[in-house]
Amino acid sequence: SQCFKYVYDRKPEQSALTSFSVLFAAYKGDIEKFVKGASVLDNMTENSKVLIAEACTHVPLDEDIGRVKIPALLRKKFGEKIEIRNVCGNDFPGKKQLEDFDLIIHCGACMFNRKHVLSRIAQAEAAGVAITNYGITLAKLSGILDKIEIPEK
């Protein structure tokens, strides 16, 4: 997902393109809701608030996708003032706190089962907040979401 645009621009025209995170969006979550949630990126501003949720609790790397790469892309597109909060593991906020956000961007959730991811999607819906995932976000911010292979449920 991190190199979507690079690969898309260099792949043969007849070849389809997807990513681990997009595949896991369908396998672990609700791909249609994640794609719909990414549409919020069309109307965000520097005053928007984004929650980036990771399933695992690993020590972040220098080039961490959820703590470095996606925040950098969001700041580039919407400005430095955009508010971005990261949570990991089971530190997912409750409904009241979720209501403060405009968008939740979730990782591929390889450490969670489908039921857990669906429960997070339900929590986001109950709070009235759009939710998407890393791969869908990266495709959207790269301008190729409509060109990648979205697996069916």
Side-chain angles (χ1 to χ4, degrees):
S1 298
Q2 295 180 57
C3 57
F4 255 151
K5 184 74 170 117
Y6 179 86
V7 174
Y8 181 80
D9 290 343
R10 288 159 180 78
K11 73 172 190 63
E13 189 175 321
Q14 68 276 13
S15 296
L17 177 65
T18 195
S19 74
F20 168 86
S21 188
V22 171
L23 292 172
F24 261 55
Y27 177 63
K28 298 271 186 145
D30 186 322
I31 190 78
E32 292 171 6
K33 288 181 183 174
F34 284 154
V35 170
K36 182 180 177 190
S39 67
V40 169
L41 291 163
D42 292 331
N43 300 310
M44 286 184 19
T45 69
E46 65 182 6
N47 298 315
S48 296
K49 295 179 182 180
V50 177
L51 176 68
I52 299 179
E54 273 186 294
C56 58
T57 58
H58 70 281
V59 175
L61 304 172
D62 289 340
E63 292 296 314
D64 190 82
I65 189 169
R67 297 173 196 225
V68 177
K69 294 192 177 198
I70 290 175
L73 289 169
L74 292 170
R75 288 187 177 102
K76 181 178 178 183
K77 182 169 175 86
F78 303 110
E80 291 295 320
K81 290 182 2 181
I82 189 170
E83 187 177 324
I84 300 168
R85 179 175 164 209
N86 290 80
V87 294
C88 61
N90 288 316
D91 293 338
F92 198 70
K95 181 182 178 202
K96 259 315 201 198
Q97 294 85 16
L98 287 177
E99 291 172 351
D100 291 340
F101 294 97
D102 299 295
L103 178 64
I104 300 165
I105 302 173
H106 206 288
C107 69
C110 60
M111 302 299 292
F112 285 165
N113 63 33
R114 179 172 168 77
K115 183 177 179 181
H116 197 95
V117 177
L118 292 175
S119 105
R120 286 195 168 179
I121 293 169
Q123 287 177 269
E125 286 181 321
V129 181
I131 187 168
T132 189
N133 92 329
Y134 284 14
I136 300 297
T137 297
L138 291 168
K140 179 74 170 172
L141 292 172
S142 298
I144 62 166
L145 181 55
D146 61 331
K147 298 171 178 68
I148 65 167
E149 187 76 20
I150 304 288
E152 294 181 21
K153 285 193 200 180

mmCIF file of all heavy atoms in Angstrom, residues 3-26:
data_model
loop_
_atom_site.group_PDB
_atom_site.id
_atom_site.type_symbol
_atom_site.label_atom_id
_atom_site.label_comp_id
_atom_site.label_asym_id
_atom_site.label_seq_id
_atom_site.Cartn_x
_atom_site.Cartn_y
_atom_site.Cartn_z
ATOM 1 N N CYS A 3 3.502 1.909 -1.500
ATOM 2 C CA CYS A 3 4.069 2.272 -2.806
ATOM 3 C C CYS A 3 3.038 2.129 -3.919
ATOM 4 O O CYS A 3 3.380 1.920 -5.078
ATOM 5 C CB CYS A 3 5.312 1.439 -3.090
ATOM 6 S SG CYS A 3 5.036 -0.338 -3.052
ATOM 7 N N PHE A 4 1.753 2.247 -3.563
ATOM 8 C CA PHE A 4 0.662 2.094 -4.539
ATOM 9 C C PHE A 4 0.896 2.896 -5.815
ATOM 10 O O PHE A 4 0.872 2.364 -6.913
ATOM 11 C CB PHE A 4 -0.654 2.574 -3.933
ATOM 12 C CG PHE A 4 -1.592 1.468 -3.544
ATOM 13 C CD1 PHE A 4 -2.475 1.647 -2.500
ATOM 14 C CD2 PHE A 4 -1.633 0.269 -4.210
ATOM 15 C CE1 PHE A 4 -3.357 0.655 -2.120
ATOM 16 C CE2 PHE A 4 -2.500 -0.741 -3.858
ATOM 17 C CZ PHE A 4 -3.362 -0.539 -2.802
ATOM 18 N N LYS A 5 1.075 4.178 -5.691
ATOM 19 C CA LYS A 5 1.174 5.057 -6.861
ATOM 20 C C LYS A 5 2.389 4.679 -7.707
ATOM 21 O O LYS A 5 2.305 4.617 -8.927
ATOM 22 C CB LYS A 5 1.234 6.523 -6.416
ATOM 23 C CG LYS A 5 1.243 7.505 -7.568
ATOM 24 C CD LYS A 5 -0.117 7.618 -8.215
ATOM 25 C CE LYS A 5 -0.149 8.764 -9.186
ATOM 26 N NZ LYS A 5 -0.396 8.358 -10.553
ATOM 27 N N TYR A 6 3.498 4.419 -7.053
ATOM 28 C CA TYR A 6 4.727 4.038 -7.752
ATOM 29 C C TYR A 6 4.492 2.780 -8.585
ATOM 30 O O TYR A 6 4.810 2.737 -9.772
ATOM 31 C CB TYR A 6 5.859 3.822 -6.748
ATOM 32 C CG TYR A 6 7.154 3.400 -7.394
ATOM 33 C CD1 TYR A 6 8.040 4.347 -7.885
ATOM 34 C CD2 TYR A 6 7.482 2.048 -7.513
ATOM 35 C CE1 TYR A 6 9.224 3.960 -8.494
ATOM 36 C CE2 TYR A 6 8.657 1.649 -8.112
ATOM 37 C CZ TYR A 6 9.527 2.609 -8.603
ATOM 38 O OH TYR A 6 10.691 2.228 -9.203
ATOM 39 N N VAL A 7 3.914 1.757 -7.964
ATOM 40 C CA VAL A 7 3.661 0.489 -8.661
ATOM 41 C C VAL A 7 2.594 0.679 -9.748
ATOM 42 O O VAL A 7 2.748 0.190 -10.862
ATOM 43 C CB VAL A 7 3.245 -0.621 -7.673
ATOM 44 C CG1 VAL A 7 2.830 -1.890 -8.404
ATOM 45 C CG2 VAL A 7 4.379 -0.901 -6.699
ATOM 46 N N TYR A 8 1.538 1.415 -9.423
ATOM 47 C CA TYR A 8 0.470 1.625 -10.402
ATOM 48 C C TYR A 8 1.008 2.269 -11.683
ATOM 49 O O TYR A 8 0.665 1.849 -12.791
ATOM 50 C CB TYR A 8 -0.649 2.492 -9.819
ATOM 51 C CG TYR A 8 -1.759 2.702 -10.814
ATOM 52 C CD1 TYR A 8 -2.712 1.715 -11.020
ATOM 53 C CD2 TYR A 8 -1.823 3.866 -11.584
ATOM 54 C CE1 TYR A 8 -3.711 1.876 -11.968
ATOM 55 C CE2 TYR A 8 -2.818 4.031 -12.531
ATOM 56 C CZ TYR A 8 -3.760 3.033 -12.717
ATOM 57 O OH TYR A 8 -4.733 3.199 -13.670
ATOM 58 N N ASP A 9 1.853 3.268 -11.520
ATOM 59 C CA ASP A 9 2.412 3.970 -12.680
ATOM 60 C C ASP A 9 3.342 3.102 -13.523
ATOM 61 O O ASP A 9 3.613 3.422 -14.670
ATOM 62 C CB ASP A 9 3.173 5.223 -12.222
ATOM 63 C CG ASP A 9 2.249 6.308 -11.703
ATOM 64 O OD1 ASP A 9 1.029 6.256 -11.980
ATOM 65 O OD2 ASP A 9 2.747 7.212 -11.000
ATOM 66 N N ARG A 10 3.830 1.981 -12.977
ATOM 67 C CA ARG A 10 4.812 1.154 -13.671
ATOM 68 C C ARG A 10 4.302 -0.237 -14.052
ATOM 69 O O ARG A 10 4.997 -0.979 -14.725
ATOM 70 C CB ARG A 10 6.054 1.015 -12.796
ATOM 71 C CG ARG A 10 6.842 2.309 -12.751
ATOM 72 C CD ARG A 10 7.754 2.399 -11.544
ATOM 73 N NE ARG A 10 8.482 3.654 -11.532
ATOM 74 C CZ ARG A 10 7.969 4.829 -11.147
ATOM 75 N NH1 ARG A 10 6.725 4.896 -10.748
ATOM 76 N NH2 ARG A 10 8.689 5.941 -11.168
ATOM 77 N N LYS A 11 3.113 -0.587 -13.621
ATOM 78 C CA LYS A 11 2.603 -1.930 -13.911
ATOM 79 C C LYS A 11 2.057 -1.998 -15.339
ATOM 80 O O LYS A 11 1.660 -0.983 -15.915
ATOM 81 C CB LYS A 11 1.522 -2.323 -12.899
ATOM 82 C CG LYS A 11 0.208 -1.587 -13.113
ATOM 83 C CD LYS A 11 -0.874 -2.163 -12.217
ATOM 84 C CE LYS A 11 -2.221 -1.612 -12.595
ATOM 85 N NZ LYS A 11 -2.683 -1.944 -13.921
ATOM 86 N N PRO A 12 2.020 -3.194 -15.925
ATOM 87 C CA PRO A 12 1.382 -3.338 -17.235
ATOM 88 C C PRO A 12 -0.102 -2.958 -17.128
ATOM 89 O O PRO A 12 -0.747 -3.236 -16.113
ATOM 90 C CB PRO A 12 1.536 -4.827 -17.544
ATOM 91 C CG PRO A 12 2.663 -5.289 -16.678
ATOM 92 C CD PRO A 12 2.625 -4.432 -15.449
ATOM 93 N N GLU A 13 -0.621 -2.335 -18.136
ATOM 94 C CA GLU A 13 -2.004 -1.853 -18.127
ATOM 95 C C GLU A 13 -3.007 -2.964 -17.823
ATOM 96 O O GLU A 13 -3.992 -2.738 -17.121
ATOM 97 C CB GLU A 13 -2.339 -1.201 -19.470
ATOM 98 C CG GLU A 13 -3.667 -0.495 -19.467
ATOM 99 C CD GLU A 13 -3.921 0.249 -20.764
ATOM 100 O OE1 GLU A 13 -2.985 0.846 -21.313
ATOM 101 O OE2 GLU A 13 -5.082 0.224 -21.213
ATOM 102 N N GLN A 14 -2.761 -4.161 -18.322
ATOM 103 C CA GLN A 14 -3.710 -5.258 -18.133
ATOM 104 C C GLN A 14 -3.623 -5.906 -16.744
ATOM 105 O O GLN A 14 -4.465 -6.715 -16.381
ATOM 106 C CB GLN A 14 -3.525 -6.323 -19.226
ATOM 107 C CG GLN A 14 -2.229 -7.093 -19.147
ATOM 108 C CD GLN A 14 -1.033 -6.408 -19.808
ATOM 109 O OE1 GLN A 14 -1.073 -5.224 -20.137
ATOM 110 N NE2 GLN A 14 0.039 -7.154 -20.000
ATOM 111 N N SER A 15 -2.634 -5.532 -15.951
ATOM 112 C CA SER A 15 -2.466 -6.129 -14.623
ATOM 113 C C SER A 15 -3.294 -5.409 -13.573
ATOM 114 O O SER A 15 -3.342 -4.186 -13.525
ATOM 115 C CB SER A 15 -0.995 -6.080 -14.193
ATOM 116 O OG SER A 15 -0.210 -6.864 -15.035
ATOM 117 N N ALA A 16 -3.937 -6.205 -12.712
ATOM 118 C CA ALA A 16 -4.699 -5.640 -11.593
ATOM 119 C C ALA A 16 -3.729 -5.331 -10.451
ATOM 120 O O ALA A 16 -2.644 -5.885 -10.370
ATOM 121 C CB ALA A 16 -5.755 -6.633 -11.131
ATOM 122 N N LEU A 17 -4.149 -4.447 -9.563
ATOM 123 C CA LEU A 17 -3.312 -4.060 -8.427
ATOM 124 C C LEU A 17 -4.148 -4.001 -7.161
ATOM 125 O O LEU A 17 -5.257 -3.461 -7.154
ATOM 126 C CB LEU A 17 -2.683 -2.672 -8.685
ATOM 127 C CG LEU A 17 -1.831 -2.085 -7.562
ATOM 128 C CD1 LEU A 17 -0.583 -2.923 -7.319
ATOM 129 C CD2 LEU A 17 -1.447 -0.646 -7.897
ATOM 130 N N THR A 18 -3.629 -4.579 -6.088
ATOM 131 C CA THR A 18 -4.222 -4.460 -4.763
ATOM 132 C C THR A 18 -3.083 -4.517 -3.759
ATOM 133 O O THR A 18 -1.917 -4.431 -4.142
ATOM 134 C CB THR A 18 -5.303 -5.542 -4.517
ATOM 135 O OG1 THR A 18 -6.065 -5.168 -3.385
ATOM 136 C CG2 THR A 18 -4.714 -6.922 -4.346
ATOM 137 N N SER A 19 -3.409 -4.648 -2.473
ATOM 138 C CA SER A 19 -2.362 -4.717 -1.464
ATOM 139 C C SER A 19 -2.813 -5.589 -0.299
ATOM 140 O O SER A 19 -3.996 -5.904 -0.157
ATOM 141 C CB SER A 19 -2.026 -3.320 -0.938
ATOM 142 O OG SER A 19 -3.057 -2.844 -0.088
ATOM 143 N N PHE A 20 -1.878 -5.931 0.553
ATOM 144 C CA PHE A 20 -2.174 -6.696 1.762
ATOM 145 C C PHE A 20 -3.264 -6.013 2.572
ATOM 146 O O PHE A 20 -4.231 -6.637 2.987
ATOM 147 C CB PHE A 20 -0.880 -6.825 2.590
ATOM 148 C CG PHE A 20 -1.108 -7.335 3.985
ATOM 149 C CD1 PHE A 20 -1.160 -8.698 4.236
ATOM 150 C CD2 PHE A 20 -1.255 -6.456 5.050
ATOM 151 C CE1 PHE A 20 -1.364 -9.172 5.528
ATOM 152 C CE2 PHE A 20 -1.463 -6.922 6.338
ATOM 153 C CZ PHE A 20 -1.515 -8.283 6.573
ATOM 154 N N SER A 21 -3.127 -4.721 2.775
ATOM 155 C CA SER A 21 -4.077 -3.989 3.611
ATOM 156 C C SER A 21 -5.463 -3.941 2.981
ATOM 157 O O SER A 21 -6.469 -4.014 3.682
ATOM 158 C CB SER A 21 -3.555 -2.575 3.880
ATOM 159 O OG SER A 21 -4.362 -1.925 4.812
ATOM 160 N N VAL A 22 -5.535 -3.833 1.687
ATOM 161 C CA VAL A 22 -6.835 -3.840 1.007
ATOM 162 C C VAL A 22 -7.458 -5.235 1.095
ATOM 163 O O VAL A 22 -8.651 -5.368 1.375
ATOM 164 C CB VAL A 22 -6.701 -3.375 -0.463
ATOM 165 C CG1 VAL A 22 -8.005 -3.588 -1.222
ATOM 166 C CG2 VAL A 22 -6.277 -1.912 -0.521
ATOM 167 N N LEU A 23 -6.660 -6.256 0.909
ATOM 168 C CA LEU A 23 -7.173 -7.620 1.035
ATOM 169 C C LEU A 23 -7.672 -7.877 2.455
ATOM 170 O O LEU A 23 -8.731 -8.474 2.653
ATOM 171 C CB LEU A 23 -6.090 -8.639 0.665
ATOM 172 C CG LEU A 23 -5.677 -8.662 -0.805
ATOM 173 C CD1 LEU A 23 -4.470 -9.564 -1.004
ATOM 174 C CD2 LEU A 23 -6.826 -9.080 -1.698
ATOM 175 N N PHE A 24 -6.934 -7.383 3.444
ATOM 176 C CA PHE A 24 -7.355 -7.575 4.827
ATOM 177 C C PHE A 24 -8.567 -6.717 5.172
ATOM 178 O O PHE A 24 -9.342 -7.072 6.056
ATOM 179 C CB PHE A 24 -6.188 -7.312 5.792
ATOM 180 C CG PHE A 24 -5.525 -8.588 6.237
ATOM 181 C CD1 PHE A 24 -5.032 -9.491 5.317
ATOM 182 C CD2 PHE A 24 -5.425 -8.894 7.582
ATOM 183 C CE1 PHE A 24 -4.447 -10.668 5.712
ATOM 184 C CE2 PHE A 24 -4.832 -10.079 7.995
ATOM 185 C CZ PHE A 24 -4.340 -10.984 7.056
ATOM 186 N N ALA A 25 -8.753 -5.623 4.477
ATOM 187 C CA ALA A 25 -9.962 -4.814 4.682
ATOM 188 C C ALA A 25 -11.194 -5.644 4.343
ATOM 189 O O ALA A 25 -12.222 -5.545 5.003
ATOM 190 C CB ALA A 25 -9.915 -3.549 3.825
ATOM 191 N N ALA A 26 -11.077 -6.470 3.326
ATOM 192 C CA ALA A 26 -12.200 -7.338 2.939
ATOM 193 C C ALA A 26 -12.274 -8.583 3.814
ATOM 194 O O ALA A 26 -13.352 -9.008 4.207
ATOM 195 C CB ALA A 26 -12.055 -7.744 1.477
#
